[in-house]
Amino acid sequence: MLKVENIRFGYVPSVDIFRDVTFTIEGGEYIAIGGRNGCGKTTITRLLVGLEKASDGRMYYNGTDITSMPPSKRGQFIGYVFQQPDRQMFRPTVATEVAFGPESLGRSKSEVKRIVDDVLERTGIAHLREAYPPTLRRGEKQRVAIASALAMQSKILILDEPTSGQDGKETKE
Ligand SMILES: Nc1ncnc2c1ncn2[C@@H]1O[C@H](COP(=O)(O)OP(=O)(O)OP(=O)(O)O)[C@@H](O)[C@H]1O
Ligand SMILES: [Mg+2]
């Protein structure tokens, strides 16, 4: 369970983007956040993963106060796909890129291979495993980022505009 209590945040001190934002996400729930451009959807996700710090309020994960927990530590239970997925890719092939997360979690070589094969299959990009990520189409990059997040096997998965760059059929998938 993820609980957000009375969060307040602004990029500059005098302009709050959020004030008194409170919500709870229970295990097994799928939540969509909608709203016009610039209303703060990305900002709320950045607060949840710890990339921005609330000026007021608290956050809890299964009862533990994570308000001051750095993003690297939150990464153990929150996976995140950025709105611009290329910003999170730096390895020479899709397969090694997707392997990075489970490797850094200390999974064995055979486990990493099993996880990578599984998530590439599930995201429909098994045929791209040897491709160089910067050369991919936007929708394909998006899938690599989603596969990388799934490979972390984290309890919570946050996707910022996951269907951007996908056509109608791909969006449905
Ligand atoms: N780094 C930043 N510094 C200052 N202001 C910012 C910064 N990032 C975003 N903002 C402002 O904060 C507000 C919320 O932006 P945010 O990116 O969270 O919106 P969004 O709902 O994700 O928009 P979009 O639909 O375009 O992705 C906007 O007014 C934006 O201009
Ligand atoms: Mg956004």
Side-chain angles (χ1 to χ4, degrees), residues 41-42 83 160-161:
K41 304 180 295 292
T42 294
Q83 187 162 0
D160 193 358
E161 312 273 358

Side-chain angles (χ1 to χ4, degrees), residues 43-106:
T43 304
I44 201 91
T45 64
R46 290 178 63 84
L47 283 159
L48 289 173
V49 293
L51 293 170
E52 306 294 346
K53 210 173 157 11
S55 53
D56 229 332
R58 311 215 70 82
M59 280 181 216
Y60 302 89
Y61 174 61
N62 288 342
T64 303
D65 190 333
I66 59 163
T67 314
S68 308
M69 190 182 277
S72 56
K73 232 176 142 201
R74 293 190 202 196
Q76 290 168 9
F77 52 87
I78 304 181
Y80 187 48
V81 177
F82 283 80
Q83 187 162 0
Q84 276 108 10
D86 352 23
R87 293 200 183 162
Q88 61 191 109
M89 284 174 213
F90 54 96
R91 285 196 155 184
T93 66
V94 167
T96 53
E97 176 64 39
V98 173
F100 176 76
E103 276 170 15
S104 60
L105 290 174

